C-alpha cells in the first residue's frame, strides 16, 4: 500500500472515529436535557466547574472554581479519587429528586474550614443545555467541517495543515466539554484536547494568512510548541490513570488556554494592522469573526482561574466561537485562504448551506418548544409547525443569499451567452473572435489576466495551470495563469482561454466553469467559421493570382508558338534565296506563296487565343507529308523522309494546323534520329479509324510519356520545349488523340483520327469551312 493510499485510509478512519464520538457524546448530552442536577457541575476531579450560569444555586451560595467536594450528606469523600466524588454528588441528586436538597461540603481556598451548602435539585434549563451542550456540539461540528475543507483544499499547505490540526483539537475540546462535567465518558480525550489545543492556538495566528517572519527565522518553534502540548497531555493522562488529582496540571492548561486565546486575538489584530491589499481584506474578515470570540473567552478562563466572582458570565460568549469556522469558509471562498486550485461546486455548497440553515431552524424550533414547556399536544404541534416554518424560511434565505454572493455566474449565464452570440455573428477573423471573448469574460468575471491565445506555438507561461478540460488540480508555479480552457473544434485545438486569479484570490466556482465552457464552445464555433472564411479568402486570392499568371503564361506561350512557327518559313526562304540568286522554279514559288499565306493566317489567328475555331477542309495526307518534307529540306539534309500510305488518303482537318502538327513532330524526330537515323510518316486509313504516325529510329525517351507534351519541357540543349506541346494542343483541338510509344527500337508518335474525319473522296477545292469550337489545348 503506497503512502497516498495509507493517508487516505487514515483520513477515512479519523472521520469515522470523529462521527462515532460525536454520536455517542450527542446521545449522552441529550440525556441531561431538563435532567435534575444539584445546582452546580463538578468535573472529573470532583472540583466545582466554572462552567455554569451565575444564577445557579451553587454559585449563589459561594461555590467557585477550584472548590473540591469533600463530603455528601454523611459520606466522607476526602480520601476518594475525583471521579468517585463527582459520582457521589450525582447519585445524591438522583435520590433527592426534583425539589429536594443535597447537603454537601467543599474544600475551598477562601477559608480554612470546608464550606457546607444545601444544594436544591432542579432541572437543567434549556438555556443552560443549549449554551453548554448543544452549542459546543454544533460549533465542534463546524470546526471539523472547516478543518476537513482546509485539508481537501490544500493537502500540503502549511496553513491548511495547521488550521486542520487546531480545528481538530478545538472540536475535540468542545465535544467533550459538557461530557467532562456530566457523564465523564471521554475524560482522556478532554485531557488531550485541553493540553494540545492551546499550543496550536499560538501557532495558527502566525500563519494567517501566511507565515510570519518569526516562523521563518525560528522553525523550531512549531515542533517545540507541540512538544510542550504532548508532554502536558501525557502528564494529564498518567495522573488520571493512577487516580491522582489533575487540578494543578489543568490549571497550567487553563493558563495556556487563556493566554493563547488572548495571543490569538492580539496577533490577528497586529497582522491586520500591518497587512495591505488582498491580505488585509482576508484578515479583516477573520478579525471580525475570531477576535470577539477568542478575546473574551481567554479573559474568562484567566479570571475564573483567579477565582474572581462573576467571571463565568463571560463564558456566555461561547456561541461566538461559531463565527470562527464560518469566517474561514468565507475567507476560503472569497480570498482563497488555503491557496487552493479547487473549484467551488454549487451543489455541495448548497447542500452545506441548506444543512446550516436546517440546523439553525432546528435550534430555533427546539428553543421555542422548550420555552413553551409542558403544554398540550395542540400547542406543541403549533410550536413544531412554527419551528419548521422558521427552518424552511432560513434554508430559503441562506440558499438565495449563497447563490447571489457566491455564484453570480448563474444569474449572468443567459444574458452573457446571448450577448456573446450576437457579437460573434459579426466576427470574421480569429483576432476579432478572441477580442470579443475577452471583452465578454471581463464584463462578468474580472480576473487579473484574461487572454484568448490563438498562437499556440509557444508553451504557456505557467505549465502547471489547471486545464479545465481535465480532472484534478495541481499547485501553481506562478499566479499569472490560474486556469485555462482548450477551445477545440472537431478534435482540432484552435486556441486557449487563459484566466488569472480572481480579485483577492477568490475561488472559481462550478458555475464560473460552466459559463466559461459555454463561452469556449461558442468561441470554437466562431473560430472555425473565421478560419474557414480566411481559407476561402486565401483561396480566392490564390485563384485570382493563378488566373493572372495563367493569362500571362498563355500570352507567353502564344508568342513563343508564333516565333516557333515563323522560323520554318524564314529558314525556307533563306535557303532558296542563298542557293538560287537568278530565278526560282515554279514549285518553290508556289511553296513560298503558301508559306506567306500561312504566316498571314497565323498572325490573324491571334484572336483565337481565348476561343480557337478549327477551319476544317478536306486535305490529302500525301500532300501534307510532301509539303512537310519540302519545309524541312535543310534539316533533313541528304536523307529522304520515308512516306508510307494505305487506304483512303483524304482527311477532314485544318490544313495549316495539320501542317504545323507534322512539321513539329518531324522536326523533333529528325533531331532525335541524328545523322544516321531514319525518319518517316506512316498513314493507315482503313478500319474503324485512321492513324497518322511519325516515327524515328533514334535513342527514344526515358521520361514519362505524358511529360513530353508539357510546355517548356525539353531534352535538347537548345530546345524551346514547345514543339510537342503545340502539336499536342492542335491534335486535341481537332478532337483527335496522340500517344508516344517506344517499341522494337523505334519511337512513334501515333495520331488517332476518328472515322468521321477519314474520307474516301479526294480533296475538294475550293475548301469549305466547318465552324466548330475547339477544345482547350492540353
Amino acid at each position: 500500500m503506497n503512502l497516498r493510499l495509507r493517508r487516505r485510509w487514515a483520513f477515512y478512519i479519523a472521520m469515522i472515529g470523529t462521527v462515532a464520538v460525536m454520536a455517542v457524546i450527542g446521545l449522552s448530552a441529550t440525556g441531561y436535557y431538563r435532567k435534575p442536577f444539584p445546582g452546580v457541575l463538578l468535573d472529573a476531579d470532583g472540583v466545582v466547574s466554572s462552567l455554569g450560569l451565575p444564577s445557579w444555586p451553587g454559585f449563589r451560595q459561594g461555590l467557585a472554581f477550584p472548590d473540591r467536594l469533600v463530603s455528601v450528606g454523611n459520606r466522607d469523600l476526602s480520601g476518594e479519587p475525583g471521579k468517585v466524588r463527582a459520582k457521589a454528588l450525582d447519585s445524591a441528586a438522583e435520590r433527592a429528586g426534583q425539589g429536594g436538597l443535597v447537603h454537601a461540603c467543599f474544600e475551598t481556598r477562601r477559608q480554612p474550614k470546608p464550606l457546607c451548602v444545601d444544594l436544591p435539585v432542579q432541572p437543567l434549563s434549556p438555556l443552560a443545555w443549549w449554551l453548554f451542550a448543544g452549542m459546543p456540539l454544533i460549533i465542534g461540528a463546524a470546526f471539523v467541517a472547516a478543518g476537513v475543507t482546509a485539508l481537501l483544499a490544500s493537502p500540503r499547505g502549511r496553513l491548511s495543515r495547521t488550521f486542520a490540526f487546531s480545528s481538530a483539537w478545538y472540536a475535540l475540546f468542545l465535544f467533550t466539554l459538557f461530557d467532562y462535567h456530566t457523564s465523564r465518558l471521554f475524560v482522556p480525550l478532554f485531557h488531550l484536547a485541553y493540553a494540545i489545543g492551546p499550543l496550536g492556538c499560538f501557532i495558527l495566528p502566525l500563519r494567517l494568512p501566511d507565515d510570519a517572519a518569526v516562523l521563518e527565522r525560528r522553525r523550531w518553534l512549531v515542533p517545540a510548541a507541540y512538544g510542550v502540548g504532548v508532554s502536558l497531555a501525557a502528564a494529564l493522562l498518567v495522573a488520571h490513570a493512577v487516580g491522582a488529582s489533575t487540578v494543578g496540571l489543568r490549571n497550567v492548561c487553563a493558563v495556556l488556554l487563556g493566554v493563547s486565546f488572548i495571543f490569538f486575538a492580539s496577533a490577528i489584530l497586529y497582522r491586520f494592522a500591518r497587512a495591505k491589499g488582498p491580505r488585509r481584506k482576508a484578515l479583516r474578515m477573520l478579525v471580525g469573526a475570531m477576535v470577539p470570540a477568542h478575546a473574551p473567552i481567554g479573559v474568562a478562563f484567566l479570571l475564573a482561574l483567579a477565582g474572581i466572582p462573576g467571571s463565568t458570565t463571560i463564558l456566555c460568549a461561547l456561541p461566538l466561537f461559531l463565527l470562527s469556522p464560518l469566517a474561514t469558509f468565507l475567507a476560503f471562498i472569497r480570498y482563497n485562504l488555503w491557496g487552493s486550485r479547487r473549484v467551488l461546486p454549487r451543489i455541495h455548497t448548497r447542500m452545506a448551506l441548506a444543512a446550516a440553515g436546517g440546523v439553525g431552524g432546528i435550534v430555533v424550533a427546539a428553543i421555542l418548544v422548550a420555552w413553551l414547556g409542558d403544554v398540550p399536544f395542540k400547542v406543541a404541534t403549533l410550536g413544531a409547525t412554527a419551528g419548521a416554518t422558521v427552518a424552511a424560511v432560513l434554508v430559503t434565505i441562506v440558499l438565495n443569499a449563497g447563490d447571489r454572493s457566491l455564484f453570480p455566474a448563474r444569474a449572468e449565464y443567459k444574458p452573457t451567452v446571448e450577448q456573446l452570440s450576437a457579437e460573434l455573428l459579426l466576427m470574421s477573423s480569429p483576432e476579432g473572435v478572441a477580442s470579443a471573448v475577452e471583452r465578454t469574460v471581463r464584463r462578468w468575471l474580472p480576473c487579473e489576466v484574461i487572454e484568448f491565445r490563438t498562437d499556440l506555438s509557444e508553451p504557456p507561461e505557467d505549465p502547471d495551470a489547471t486545464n479545465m478540460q481535465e480532472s484534478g488540480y495541481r499547485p501553481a508555479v506562478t499566479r499569472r495563469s490560474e486556469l485555462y480552457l482548450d477551445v477545440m473544434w472537431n478534435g482540432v485545438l484552435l486556441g486557449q482561454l487563459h484566466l488569472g486569479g480572481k480579485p483577492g484570490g477568490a475561488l472559481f466556482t462550478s458555475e464560473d466553469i460552466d459559463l466559461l465552457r459555454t463561452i469556449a464552445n461558442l468561441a470554437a464555433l466562431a473560430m472555425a467559421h473565421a478560419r474557414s472564411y480566411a481559407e476561402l479568402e486565401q483561396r480566392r486570392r490564390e485563384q485570382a493570382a493563378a488566373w493572372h499568371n495563367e493569362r500571362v503564361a498563355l500570352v507567353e506561350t502564344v508568342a513563343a508558338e508564333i516565333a516557333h512557327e515563323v522560323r520554318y518559313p524564314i529558314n525556307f526562304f533563306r535557303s532558296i534565296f542563298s542557293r538560287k540568286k537568278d530565278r526560282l522554279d515554279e514549285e518553290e514559288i508556289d511553296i513560298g506563296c503558301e508559306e506567306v499565306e500561312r504566316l498571314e493566317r497565323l498572325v490573324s489567328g491571334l484572336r483565337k487565343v481565348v476561343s480557337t475555331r478549327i477551319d476544317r477542309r478536306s486535305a490529302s495526307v500525301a500532300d501534307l507529308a510532301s509539303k512537310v518534307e519540302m519545309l524541312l529540306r535543310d534539316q533533313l539534309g541528304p536523307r529522304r523522309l520515308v512516306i508510307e500510305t494505305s487506304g483512303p488518303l483524304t482527311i477532314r482537318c485544318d490544313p495549316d494546323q495539320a501542317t504545323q502538327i507534322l512539321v513539329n513532330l518531324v522536326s523533333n524526330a529528325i533531331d532525335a534520329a541524328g545523322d544516321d537515323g531514319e525518319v518517316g510518316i506512316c498513314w493507315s486509313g482503313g478500319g474503324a479509324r485512321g492513324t497518322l504516325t511519325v516515327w524515328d529510329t533514334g535513342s527514344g525517351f526515358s521520361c514519362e510519356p505524358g511529360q513530353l507534351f508539357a510546355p517548356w519541357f525539353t531534352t535538347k540543349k537548345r530546345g524551346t520545349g514547345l514543339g510537342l506541346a503545340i502539336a499536342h494542343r492542335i491534335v486535341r483541338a481537332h478532337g483527335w488523340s496522340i500517344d508516344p510509344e517506344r517499341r522494337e527500337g523505334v519511337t512513334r508518335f501515333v495520331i488517332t483520327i476518328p472515322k468521321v474525319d477519314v474520307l474516301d473522296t479526294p480533296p475538294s477545292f475550293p475548301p469549305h469551312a466547318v465552324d466548330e469550337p475547339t477544345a482547350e489545348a492540353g
Side-chain angles (χ1 to χ4, degrees):
M1 185 181 296
N2 58 36
L3 181 61
R4 179 177 296 180
L5 190 58
R6 287 200 298 269
R7 288 178 177 175
R8 184 177 299 174
W9 277 108
F11 175 77
Y12 292 154
I13 292 172
M15 290 302 301
I16 293 173
T18 301
V19 173
V21 170
M22 287 177 59
V24 174
I25 293 176
L27 290 174
S28 174
T30 55
Y32 281 84
Y33 187 78
R34 300 188 65 84
K35 180 180 179 179
F37 82 113
V40 72
L41 296 179
L42 300 184
D43 61 26
D45 282 319
V47 175
V48 174
S49 173
S50 58
L51 193 70
L53 298 176
S55 59
W56 285 0
F59 293 133
R60 295 174 63 182
Q61 295 185 47
L63 294 178
F65 177 84
D67 297 344
R68 193 177 191 193
L69 181 68
V70 292
S71 67
V72 174
N74 297 324
R75 182 181 177 183
D76 184 16
L77 300 172
S78 57
E80 298 293 341
K83 192 171 185 178
V84 174
R85 301 186 189 201
K87 282 290 185 181
L89 183 63
D90 293 341
S91 299
E94 289 180 6
R95 289 193 301 271
Q98 185 171 341
L101 294 174
V102 175
H103 182 77
C105 295
F106 293 84
E107 183 182 23
T108 177
R109 294 178 298 181
R110 296 182 298 277
Q111 60 186 39
K113 293 182 179 180
L115 175 62
C116 295
V117 294
D118 291 323
L119 299 173
V121 179
Q122 60 185 24
L124 186 67
S125 67
L127 174 63
W129 189 90
W130 278 106
L131 187 62
F132 302 123
M135 286 304 298
L137 288 174
I138 294 173
I139 297 170
F143 270 110
V144 169
V148 171
T149 301
L151 278 182
L152 292 177
S154 182
R156 299 182 181 180
R158 291 181 181 178
L159 174 58
S160 60
R161 288 186 175 187
T162 302
F163 178 79
F165 185 82
S166 300
S167 297
W169 295 117
Y170 277 179
L172 189 59
F173 175 77
L174 292 168
F175 286 159
T176 57
L177 179 63
F178 188 72
D179 173 84
Y180 187 74
H181 299 91
T182 52
S183 60
R184 305 171 191 88
L185 297 174
F186 296 95
V187 173
L189 294 181
F190 177 83
H191 285 159
L192 281 173
Y194 203 27
I196 299 176
L199 280 304
C201 206
F202 281 109
I203 302 301
L204 182 58
L206 298 179
R207 283 189 165 160
L208 278 173
D210 48 25
D211 282 3
V214 65
L215 289 185
E216 294 293 336
R217 291 195 303 267
R218 297 176 175 83
R219 296 182 180 275
W220 53 267
L221 284 176
V222 176
Y226 289 135
V228 172
V230 171
S231 300
L232 271 175
L236 281 169
L237 292 176
V238 171
H240 176 72
V242 300
S245 174
T246 60
V247 174
L249 291 172
R250 285 194 296 113
N251 286 342
V252 175
C253 294
V255 172
L256 286 175
L257 184 64
V259 173
S260 68
F261 274 31
I262 295 174
F263 174 79
F264 187 98
S266 303
I268 290 291
L269 283 171
Y270 175 77
R271 301 199 73 183
F272 170 71
R274 295 178 60 88
K276 296 180 181 179
R279 293 175 68 252
R280 185 176 181 86
K281 293 180 180 179
L283 283 172
R284 181 184 291 115
M285 183 176 294
L286 299 179
V287 165
M290 294 182 171
V291 172
H294 285 76
I297 293 176
V299 172
F301 267 93
L302 295 179
L303 294 179
L305 189 63
I308 298 176
S311 59
T312 55
T313 306
I314 306 178
L315 292 178
C316 294
L318 187 64
L320 294 177
F321 236 5
L322 184 60
L323 297 177
S324 295
L326 295 180
T328 59
F329 278 121
L330 291 177
F332 171 49
I333 293 170
R334 293 194 176 278
Y335 305 108
N336 198 8
L337 184 63
W338 313 127
S340 172
R341 288 251 175 127
R342 296 284 183 180
V343 170
L344 183 66
R346 181 172 178 267
I347 295 178
H348 296 164
T349 304
R350 285 175 63 86
M351 290 173 61
L353 292 175
V359 170
I362 292 173
V363 172
V364 172
I367 294 175
L368 178 62
V369 173
W371 176 72
L372 293 174
D374 295 330
V375 294
F377 177 77
K378 183 182 293 185
V379 178
T381 303
L382 292 175
T385 303
T389 303
V390 170
V393 171
L394 280 177
V395 170
T396 303
I397 294 174
V398 168
L399 290 181
N400 290 335
D403 278 347
R404 286 195 303 271
S405 61
L406 303 180
F407 303 98
R410 182 174 178 83
E412 296 289 339
Y413 192 97
K414 184 176 180 180
T416 299
V417 171
E418 290 178 349
Q419 187 173 10
L420 179 60
S421 300
E423 288 191 34
L424 293 180
L425 288 175
L426 306 176
M427 300 301 167
S428 59
S429 66
E431 294 77 14
V433 173
S435 178
V437 170
E438 291 175 0
R439 287 196 306 271
T440 301
V441 175
R442 192 172 288 109
R443 274 194 293 265
W444 67 271
L445 187 64
C447 294
E448 297 173 2
V449 176
I450 299 175
E451 183 180 359
F452 191 101
R453 300 180 184 176
T454 55
D455 183 10
L456 305 178
S457 57
E458 297 181 1
E461 278 186 43
D462 183 1
D464 289 330
T466 303
N467 184 349
M468 298 314 303
Q469 261 70 20
E470 301 174 356
S471 60
Y473 299 87
R474 303 179 294 276
V477 174
T478 69
R479 297 290 294 181
R480 177 167 175 77
S481 182
E482 284 283 344
L483 60 87
Y484 66 92
L485 291 89
D486 290 335
V487 178
M488 304 189 70
W489 177 260
N490 199 23
V492 178
L493 183 63
L494 302 180
Q496 287 178 339
L497 178 59
H498 285 252
L499 287 92
K502 295 173 72 173
L507 289 180
F508 288 95
T509 68
S510 57
E511 302 299 305
D512 293 339
I513 303 306
D514 288 344
L515 183 49
L516 287 172
R517 283 177 175 155
T518 302
I519 290 175
N521 292 336
L522 291 174
L525 181 60
M527 285 290 291
H529 166 74
R531 288 197 171 191
S532 299
Y533 182 81
E535 290 176 1
L536 289 175
E537 280 293 305
Q538 180 64 22
R539 288 186 180 182
R540 186 190 63 78
R541 288 191 295 268
E542 290 176 355
Q543 287 177 351
W547 181 87
H548 176 73
N549 294 335
E550 183 180 350
R551 297 298 96 186
V552 172
L554 181 59
V555 171
E556 292 177 352
T557 301
V558 171
E561 287 186 14
I562 293 173
H564 186 274
E565 295 305 318
V566 168
R567 183 184 59 178
Y568 295 109
I570 291 176
N571 289 338
F572 172 76
F573 289 125
R574 180 186 296 114
S575 172
I576 61 176
F577 289 156
S578 62
R579 286 185 295 105
K580 297 182 179 182
K581 298 182 179 179
D582 297 332
R583 58 179 299 180
L584 302 176
D585 58 30
E586 185 176 352
E587 182 182 7
E588 290 174 336
I589 293 174
D590 291 340
I591 293 177
C593 292
E594 290 178 1
E595 287 302 302
V596 169
E597 293 176 356
R598 191 168 71 85
L599 288 176
E600 184 180 0
R601 290 192 297 271
L602 182 64
V603 172
S604 64
L606 288 176
R607 63 181 179 83
K608 303 177 182 179
V609 170
V610 178
S611 178
T612 305
R613 301 174 69 87
I614 299 296
D615 186 11
R616 292 185 185 272
R617 290 174 292 169
S618 58
S620 170
V621 175
D623 293 343
L624 293 174
S626 300
K627 182 177 179 181
V628 169
E629 183 179 16
M630 180 65 69
L631 289 172
L632 299 175
R633 186 167 52 192
D634 286 347
Q635 191 176 354
L636 282 168
R639 290 174 298 184
R640 298 285 298 174
L641 181 64
V642 180
I643 300 175
E644 301 174 338
T645 60
S646 65
L649 296 178
T650 306
I651 60 174
R652 294 175 65 251
C653 65
D654 187 320
D656 293 341
Q657 297 198 35
T659 302
Q660 188 175 352
I661 294 172
L662 292 177
V663 166
N664 289 343
L665 293 178
V666 172
S667 175
N668 193 68
I670 293 171
D671 292 337
D675 296 337
D676 300 329
E678 295 183 358
V679 180
I681 298 175
C682 180
W683 162 255
S684 175
R689 58 184 177 274
T691 56
L692 182 61
T693 304
V694 177
W695 57 269
D696 66 82
T697 59
S699 58
F701 54 88
S702 59
C703 62
E704 291 293 330
Q707 195 175 0
L708 294 171
F709 301 120
W712 318 112
F713 176 81
T714 181
T715 58
K716 296 183 289 188
K717 293 182 179 180
R718 296 185 179 181
T720 62
L722 290 173
L724 293 179
I726 294 171
H728 182 264
R729 179 178 63 82
I730 298 174
V731 168
R732 291 281 304 276
H734 277 79
W736 305 342
S737 64
I738 181 171
D739 298 292
E741 61 180 33
R742 177 75 177 176
R743 189 172 59 196
E744 297 178 357
V746 178
T747 302
R748 296 180 177 84
F749 284 83
V750 181
I751 300 173
T752 303
I753 301 174
K755 183 66 175 177
V756 68
D757 287 335
V758 179
L759 306 178
D760 293 332
T761 59
S764 59
F765 296 97
H768 56 279
V770 181
D771 292 339
E772 182 178 311
T774 64
E776 186 180 350

